[in-house]
Each structure stands twice: as structure tokens, then as C-alpha cells.
Amino acid sequence: MPNIELQYFAQLQDEVGRAHERRHTSAPTAAALYDELRAAYGFALAPACMRVAINAAFAPWEQPLGEGDHVVFIPPVTGG
Amino acid sequence: MPNIELQYFAQLQDEVGRAHERRHTSAPTAAALYDELRAAYGFALAPACMRVAINAAFAPWEQPLGEGDHVVFIPPVTGG
Amino acid sequence: MADAPVDISALRRALMVPEAGGFCSFEGWVRETNEGQTVSGIDYNAFVPLALTEGQAIVQEVKQRFAICRATAMHRTGYLPVGETAVWIGVSAAHRDAAFSACRYIIDEIKQRVPIWKKEHYASGEVGWVPCHTL
Amino acid sequence: MADAPVDISALRRALMVPEAGGFCSFEGWVRETNEGQTVSGIDYNAFVPLALTEGQAIVQEVKQRFAICRATAMHRTGYLPVGETAVWIGVSAAHRDAAFSACRYIIDEIKQRVPIWKKEHYASGEVGWVPCHTL
């Protein structure tokens, strides 16, 4: 099972209660990982309104995850 | 014949050779006055591309002139 | 209308109100080339009383037409070398759309209506009145 | 991306090139009210590495899409009280149309794509993540 580096921002960070997490997961894709985390932490946001970044670049939800990948789920942005 | 206070700007000032002029004229309107000055100084600009200000406010070309009026013919503006 | 450099940061500060979330400004700078000629500076000639009246009218218009908080415009007169700020416009608004639209409106109207004329001084030593706005 | 106040006049100066005749800037200020609630300040949370990449991509895009000279964007992170400048964008161009269009494009894209999130602090003592842009 790959080791994934998770970083949380905005409301996800509040829901998890921390900004970083190292997680062993069998989730094959970013989409599956979000489902797993949503079940664990009760995230309110549906993936349809979000994006995912893998290793600090936007990536498709179906991108396979590899050992040591850094994953960030991106809630709707509100900067500016 | 009314006494008119003329002030010249931009290319008109160059054509007249000065910025101010006090002129006795029988021209009944601003339009007639411009024709008179154009004949005298050879202004290149046609009135169709210009506006006129009487007493520091834009005015119709056909506005009658009165004693002591301050008249400025406004070439196409190029500020900004 | 100003015949000497203006403290822009003071003009900007006067537009800051707590309800404003967006601020748009435009500056016109003296450009080095125009129509293929090298410019060393521009002499701005203005009919000041009417330029002030028209400028104030334009600012009133944007306050009626757009949902803005505050707006200011400043235009220099006299000789300005390349790189100097000839015109400054600032608009604050609750939202950015009004700030951009009002700022654009002001500069467009200044270029159409305010009695100011540019005499360009060229590197060649020649001078020339800009005939009219090309853009 | 800056976690402390930035010298805006230095950013502006870096956009001054002799070919530039127009300069448009946009600033986003922390506003006192949002959706009827009184705001005391906003905490900006950013995923900095990706925010930088996206910001640079947006600036590259405007250089390709619009006839501009230079463009810069700055966004603050951390807690800012009402009235502070959270975002600053500046664009210089030969002509004003490109300057306005590029400046507007940059702020619109920042609001759409750059991973930054606002947590509003209300006068009531409550805090809340802004759910999404309403305007």
C-alpha cells in the first residue's frame, strides 16, 4: 500500500483538524482516496465542485497514485 | 460691435501666434466668428471637427455673441 | 488639473472606504514612440476652467452609472518627459466589475471631451500637435 | 505570494518601460461587510507552490493574449484587517485597451484558479470560510 502525503486547506483542514497527514492507502486514484477520506472525516464538499493537485500540479481525478505522492484536494477557491 | 475676448489653444494658438486676443466683431454667432478668424489667420481646422466654448462652457455654434463674451474654439482634444 | 507632480498615494488613500473591496486605477504615461517617431516628451496644453468642469462632470456621471464608492481623476499640464505620469484615475467600489467599468469610462471620456492637447517633442528636435486620438 | 506587506511602488516601477503608454492596476481590499455581516478581517490560506505556478501561468497567458509590455500580480497570505490590500495586479501596455483587458483577465483567473481561500472573521467573533465567489 503506497504511502501518501496529504495536505489540507480551508474547510478540509478544519474538518480533519490538522494540515498534514501521512496515510497508507489502497485507494488506486485521487478520486478513490477522496471517497475514503470523506467517509473518515465527513467532508461536506462533493468532489464535483473540487479539483485535486498531485505533487503541486493540478491532476485528473483518475490519476493513479504512487508511493510518496503529495496530494491536495482543492475546495472552490475564494482568493483575490 | 461687441468686444469679444478670444483665447487660443493648440494649433490655433500657433496659427494666430498668440494665446489671447480682444476683438471687435460684427459676427453675430460663434460660427460666424470662426469663419471670420479662419479667413484672417488661415486656420487649417474645419469647424465640423471642432467645438466652441463660450464663457468656459460648451455652447452651440449658433449661440449669439454678447459684449465681453469669452470665446474658445476647441480643436479635437488629445489629452489622456 | 495639476502643473506639477501630484502625490498619487494621497489620491489613492482618499478613495479607501471600508465598503470598498475593489480598486481600479489607470495611468497614462508619456510613451517613447508615436506613429514611428521617437518622442522625448509631451507638452500638455489645457483650457483649465473647462477641463475642470468637464472632469467633474465625468466623475459625477460614473457615480450615477456604476455602483462605485469613490472616483478621482488627475491630469497634468505643461512639459513631461518620457515615462512621466500624465493622467491618473482611481475608482473604488464594492465589487471589481464596477471599478473596472467606471475607470475605463473616465479615461475614455477624458480622451473624448476634456479640452487638453498634446504637443509632442521629437528626438529630431521637431514638435507637432497630435492631430487626434488613433486608439 | 507574500506573507507581509509588499512595496507596491516598487512593483509598479518594474512595469515602467519606455514603450508603455498605459498602465492599469487592480487592488482587492478587505471589505467591511460581506453578505450583510460585519467583517473585522480576513485570513488568507494558500497552497503556495501551486498558487505560484498558477499565478505565473496566468501572467504568461496575458502576455500571449494581449499586446502588453509587462504584468505582475501579488497576493497576500495570513490575516489582514479591513482596508488592507490583499491582491495587487499591474499591467503596462502601449495602449489602454490591452492594459485594461489583461488586468481584468488576471484578477478573473486568480479568482477562478489560484488555490487561495478566505476565512472571514466577523465582528460577532465568529469565523467562516467563504463558500465561493458570488461576484
Side-chain angles (χ1 to χ4, degrees):
Chain A
M1 290 214 297
N3 233 326
I4 300 294
E5 195 78 50
L6 283 151
Q7 198 176 351
Y8 298 111
F9 291 92
Q11 47 274 74
L12 298 185
Q13 191 176 102
D14 288 353
E15 288 170 313
V16 175
R18 56 197 158 146
H20 292 272
E21 178 182 6
R22 203 175 179 81
R23 191 176 183 99
H24 290 276
T25 178
S26 58
T29 63
L33 177 57
Y34 188 74
D35 290 343
E36 179 186 316
L37 295 166
R38 202 179 180 194
Y41 298 116
F43 292 157
L45 290 165
C49 69
M50 296 173 66
R51 300 178 73 180
V52 61
I54 300 178
N55 302 323
F58 286 117
W61 281 97
E62 296 309 321
Q63 183 165 313
L65 297 175
E67 174 62 28
D69 275 352
H70 176 271
V71 176
V72 176
F73 296 103
I74 312 277
V77 304
T78 55
Chain B
M1 288 215 298
N3 235 327
I4 301 294
E5 195 77 52
L6 281 151
Q7 198 175 350
Y8 298 110
F9 291 92
Q11 47 274 74
L12 299 184
Q13 190 175 104
D14 289 354
E15 288 171 314
V16 174
R18 57 195 158 146
H20 291 271
E21 178 182 6
R22 202 174 179 81
R23 191 177 184 96
H24 289 274
T25 177
S26 59
T29 64
L33 177 58
Y34 188 75
D35 290 342
E36 178 185 316
L37 295 166
R38 202 178 180 194
Y41 298 117
F43 293 155
L45 289 164
C49 69
M50 296 174 65
R51 300 177 75 179
V52 62
I54 300 178
N55 301 323
F58 286 117
W61 281 96
E62 296 309 321
Q63 182 165 315
L65 297 176
E67 173 63 27
D69 275 351
H70 176 272
V71 176
V72 176
F73 297 104
I74 312 277
V77 304
T78 55
Chain C
M1 304 303 298
D3 58 6
V6 168
D7 179 1
I8 300 295
S9 65
L11 296 181
R12 172 180 168 281
R13 217 172 309 123
L15 302 175
M16 301 188 105
V17 288
E19 318 85 76
F23 167 76
C24 182
S25 76
F26 177 80
E27 299 182 18
W29 297 339
V30 176
R31 200 152 51 96
E32 197 180 38
T33 54
N34 194 23
E35 312 258 322
Q37 291 200 76
T38 304
V39 172
S40 53
I42 296 181
D43 201 354
Y44 287 87
N45 188 210
F47 177 24
V48 174
L50 183 55
L52 284 174
T53 311
E54 281 296 290
Q56 284 156 4
I58 293 167
V59 168
Q60 284 310 312
E61 284 165 26
V62 296
K63 287 182 179 168
Q64 280 159 11
R65 286 174 191 234
F66 305 100
I68 64 169
C69 298
R70 296 196 180 172
T72 311
M74 179 285 295
H75 204 299
R76 291 285 303 276
T77 57
Y79 182 81
L80 301 181
V82 168
E84 279 284 295
T85 299
V87 58
W88 186 89
I89 293 155
V91 178
S92 61
H95 300 290
R96 71 188 183 285
D97 201 52
F100 272 100
S101 301
C103 190
R104 182 66 196 258
Y105 181 91
I106 293 173
I107 183 63
D108 287 354
E109 292 296 309
I110 285 175
K111 285 179 176 266
Q112 288 249 338
R113 293 160 51 182
V114 176
I116 302 172
W117 299 274
K118 286 187 221 205
K119 187 184 221 169
E120 288 184 332
H121 291 242
Y122 305 108
S124 63
E126 287 169 51
V127 297
W129 292 101
V130 176
C132 63
H133 284 300
T134 50
L135 252 174
Chain D
M1 304 302 300
D3 58 7
V6 167
D7 180 0
I8 299 296
S9 65
L11 295 181
R12 172 180 169 280
R13 218 172 308 122
L15 302 176
M16 301 188 106
V17 289
E19 318 86 75
F23 167 76
C24 182
S25 76
F26 178 80
E27 300 182 18
W29 296 339
V30 176
R31 197 154 50 97
E32 196 182 37
T33 53
N34 195 22
E35 312 257 322
Q37 292 200 76
T38 303
V39 172
S40 53
I42 296 182
D43 201 354
Y44 288 87
N45 187 210
F47 177 25
V48 173
L50 183 56
L52 285 173
T53 311
E54 281 296 289
Q56 285 156 4
I58 292 166
V59 168
Q60 284 310 311
E61 284 165 27
V62 296
K63 287 182 180 167
Q64 281 158 10
R65 285 174 191 233
F66 305 99
I68 64 169
C69 299
R70 294 195 181 172
T72 312
M74 179 287 295
H75 204 299
R76 291 284 303 277
T77 57
Y79 182 81
L80 302 180
V82 168
E84 280 285 295
T85 299
V87 58
W88 186 89
I89 293 155
V91 178
S92 62
H95 300 289
R96 71 188 183 285
D97 201 51
F100 272 100
S101 301
C103 190
R104 182 66 195 258
Y105 181 91
I106 293 173
I107 183 62
D108 286 354
E109 292 297 308
I110 285 175
K111 284 179 176 267
Q112 288 249 337
R113 292 159 52 181
V114 177
I116 302 172
W117 299 273
K118 286 187 219 202
K119 186 185 220 167
E120 289 184 332
H121 291 240
Y122 303 107
S124 62
E126 286 169 51
V127 297
W129 292 100
V130 176
C132 64
H133 283 301
T134 48
L135 253 175

